[in-house]
Amino acid sequence: MKVIFLDLDGVMITGSNQKLSSEYDGYVFTPTSVEHLKQIIDQTGAFIVVTSTYRKAGFSYLKKMFEANGITEGLIGQTPVLAYHSRGREIQQYIDESQLDPSLTVEKFVIIDDHDDMGELMPFLVQTKWHSGLDEEAKNKAIQMLLD
Ligand SMILES: [Mg+2]
């Protein structure tokens, strides 16, 4: 399957739109980021795995957060939390473990994040900016990488 390893702060939650949600404890997603993420999913059939530290609150919290922001499909998991390891290492572990189940095996992926602690996975990073998040340019790049 195709997977988007998705950060939240600086990607879905941005400096240009700091509003607290009334439905969960945290900030709302920026509408343009939501629109762009949906377009990536529609055009590539990719699924979402969350890499953000918000995942420490648990998968049901993430699910609630995504649904409250209008993303009702595509969220399938989160990367493991490894002490003293980079985000790239956590993503690599998720990919390695996905090989155990053919129906969940990651075949193609992109990482969308405003930081760059991806180690050997740097070539798969689409880097966003805290203020603008998942903008048009990042969306197009992610689609291209997932369809290549
Ligand atoms: Mg971030």
Side-chain angles (χ1 to χ4, degrees), residues 1-4 105-110 145-148:
M1 63 164 60
K2 290 178 183 173
V3 169
I4 302 159
T105 297
V106 179
E107 288 152 335
K108 196 158 241 188
F109 66 96
V110 68
M145 288 165 72
L146 285 165
L147 291 181
D148 243 3

Side-chain angles (χ1 to χ4, degrees), residues 7 9-10 113-115:
D7 181 30
D9 277 337
D113 204 301
D114 60 329
H115 289 144

Side-chain angles (χ1 to χ4, degrees), residues 7-11 13 52-53 87 112-115 128 130:
D7 181 30
L8 297 179
D9 277 337
V11 179
I13 296 165
S52 164
T53 50
R87 193 160 284 186
I112 309 178
D113 204 301
D114 60 329
H115 289 144
T128 57
W130 158 243

Side-chain angles (χ1 to χ4, degrees), residues 77-98:
Q78 59 189 69
T79 50
V81 178
L82 303 178
Y84 313 113
H85 283 285
S86 68
R87 193 160 284 186
R89 186 66 200 84
E90 293 171 332
I91 292 169
Q92 187 61 57
Q93 177 152 330
Y94 183 95
I95 293 168
D96 292 348
E97 286 175 356
S98 82

